[in-house]
Amino acid sequence: MSSSKPAVVIDLKFERREIDAALSHALPGRKVMLAADKDQDLSSARYAVVWKPDRDLLLRAPNLQVLFSGGAGVDHILTIPDLPPLPIVRFVDESLTTRMSEWVVLQCLSHLRQAPAYRRQQREHLWRELPQPEAKDVTVGIMGLGVLGRDSAAKLKMMGFNVIGWSRRAKDIEDIDTFDNSGLDDFLSRTDILVGLLPLTPDTRALFNAGLFRKLRRGGPLGGPVFINAGRGGSQVERDLLEALGNGTLCGASLDVFEVEPLPADSPFWSLENIIITPHAASATDVRALLRHVEQQIDRYETNQPMQHVVDRTVGY
Ligand code: NDP
Ligand code: OXD
């Protein structure tokens, strides 16, 4: 299609038919190219929408002005070698936020109501009622009070949990005790279920380690602390996590993200009874919502309004 509007290149892992369907409702009158078409000349592209892009994308599309992340996280972009100093816009949308909160609430309820233990009993044909702690006696500590962490916190409160949160900058959130870096130990000492919703940055890499797990509250109603992570696998030290799950420092976990994805078939995590694994699927990007968001932000850019959700490259998220 010939068009005077600057062109877009898409490098996403969706099926082509899903992208085509989404494009029938977004980016009208604009040339949209797929990076997967290896013979396509991408030099006219001014915008790229990417999820873990091929290494050669920036060479093939040297005239980009804005990079759009296909997800909320941007570590897959910030780690591209020789990344030019372009603005990076991350994906923020109600569909993504709602899905994540559903996953977080599901995992917290699963551990509260002993889903892994009942699953084991069902396999053994064992009819035995287990204790039912009350949500109000369980403190969920959320690390990362951004778009996803705040929505999860509000929905966990609705389910009756006591919720506290930790973030880089101090926050004031109704009904939630919040902590910044200086209050980390205090935050951990009150936490029964730790939820990780942090971006992967140099500061958050390997943050969930043996020392941190040992600081979580002991003697709580779940019989021991639980670790839930849907941020990034690079924030967890998996050797420490396995050890903590094995020696009772942690009594359970729900893991959506891993240091290596897909989780290798021979990983010891697969056979642990006290954990729930999902395949980096806590909250999937809806490609229709993504392309609508890209269109909105391009409209802002082209009419000299500030784009929203622009990443601060100095802090990495
Ligand atoms: P936001 O940028 O809105 O929030 C990030 C939060 O992390 C902020 O509260 C920020 O603090 C906090 N934070 C960042 N660095 C530090 C630090 N060094 N110390 C303490 N707090 C820190 O991100 P989102 O909520 O939108 O998304 C969070 C992450 O979730 C994404 O980056 C991505 O990795 C992951 N994700 C995973 C998905 C999945 O399916 N598994 C789906 C979508 C996202 P402050 O508020 O002070 O800035
Ligand atoms: C994201 C993700 O960052 O899906 O959006 O992990």
Side-chain angles (χ1 to χ4, degrees):
M1 179 200 302
S2 73
S3 158
S4 56
K5 290 187 179 180
V8 179
V9 56
I10 293 183
D11 194 352
L12 298 170
K13 308 300 172 207
F14 295 97
E15 300 280 334
R16 186 174 293 240
R17 61 178 168 74
E18 289 179 88
I19 295 177
D20 287 345
L23 283 172
S24 62
H25 299 282
L27 299 167
R30 200 177 286 277
K31 181 173 179 186
V32 180
M33 299 170 281
L34 297 187
D37 293 336
K38 287 294 178 192
D39 296 333
Q40 175 80 59
D41 173 7
L42 303 180
S43 59
S44 65
R46 296 292 176 273
Y47 310 108
V49 190
V50 303
W51 180 253
K52 300 186 180 165
D54 278 350
R55 282 180 165 264
D56 66 352
L57 180 72
L58 294 175
L59 296 175
R60 291 176 64 206
N63 297 311
L64 294 174
Q65 293 175 357
V66 183
L67 286 171
F68 291 93
S69 171
V74 290
D75 46 298
H76 62 109
I77 296 179
L78 291 174
T79 47
I80 297 174
D82 304 319
L83 183 68
L86 301 173
I88 300 167
V89 176
R90 64 190 203 92
F91 181 43
V92 175
D93 183 75
E94 197 190 332
S95 59
L96 193 81
T97 306
T98 302
R99 285 173 180 177
M100 180 57 84
S101 298
E102 287 166 0
W103 185 89
V104 170
V105 172
L106 173 68
Q107 301 312 319
C108 290
L109 286 176
S110 295
H111 291 284
L112 176 75
R113 299 305 302 267
Q114 315 228 35
Y118 279 123
R119 198 180 49 196
R120 196 164 54 240
Q121 290 192 184
Q122 184 176 345
R123 254 197 327 272
E124 293 164 6
H125 299 198
L126 191 60
W127 183 272
R128 183 168 67 208
E129 195 176 334
L130 299 171
Q132 292 183 14
E134 286 193 66
K136 69 177 176 46
D137 296 324
V138 173
T139 297
V140 181
I142 303 182
M143 291 181 80
L145 290 174
V147 176
L148 304 181
R150 286 177 82 129
D151 194 68
S152 294
K155 288 172 182 164
L156 287 165
K157 286 291 286 186
M158 275 184 231
M159 293 310 305
F161 287 99
N162 181 37
V163 182
I164 61 178
W166 179 81
S167 55
R168 191 167 60 86
R169 294 165 292 188
K171 300 258 176 311
D172 190 4
I173 306 177
E174 203 181 332
D175 288 340
I176 293 177
D177 287 350
T178 55
F179 301 79
D180 61 15
N181 228 339
S182 61
L184 180 59
D185 285 3
D186 194 9
F187 164 85
L188 294 171
S189 70
R190 287 173 55 182
T191 295
D192 297 304
I193 301 181
L194 180 65
V195 175
L197 282 174
L198 288 167
L200 182 61
T201 70
D203 290 339
T204 64
R205 184 171 286 284
L207 184 63
F208 302 122
N209 57 35
L212 180 142
F213 296 138
R214 276 197 297 272
K215 290 178 183 166
L216 292 165
R217 179 159 100 113
R218 307 218 56 87
L222 303 181
V226 169
F227 175 58
I228 293 178
N229 194 13
R232 283 290 181 264
S235 295
Q236 69 206 12
V237 179
E238 293 185 356
R239 206 186 38 240
D240 292 4
L241 182 50
L242 283 166
E243 201 175 304
L245 286 163
N247 67 21
T249 304
L250 291 173
C251 80
S254 291
L255 304 173
D256 184 59
V257 289
F258 291 89
E259 283 173 3
V260 175
E261 296 177 5
L263 184 63
D266 62 354
S267 166
F269 282 112
W270 288 115
S271 7
L272 292 184
E273 292 277 3
N274 50 349
I275 75 169
I276 298 171
I277 291 176
T278 51
H280 200 138
S283 180
T285 290
D286 178 321
V287 67
R288 292 161 304 177
L290 172 64
L291 295 186
R292 278 198 304 269
H293 144 92
V294 168
E295 180 185 328
Q296 283 163 8
Q297 298 309 320
I298 291 179
D299 281 349
R300 294 177 73 97
Y301 181 73
E302 291 179 350
T303 54
N304 296 320
Q305 298 173 69
M307 287 184 295
Q308 297 162 308
H309 318 303
V310 177
V311 170
D312 177 350
R313 288 180 62 167
T314 60
V315 286
Y317 66 99

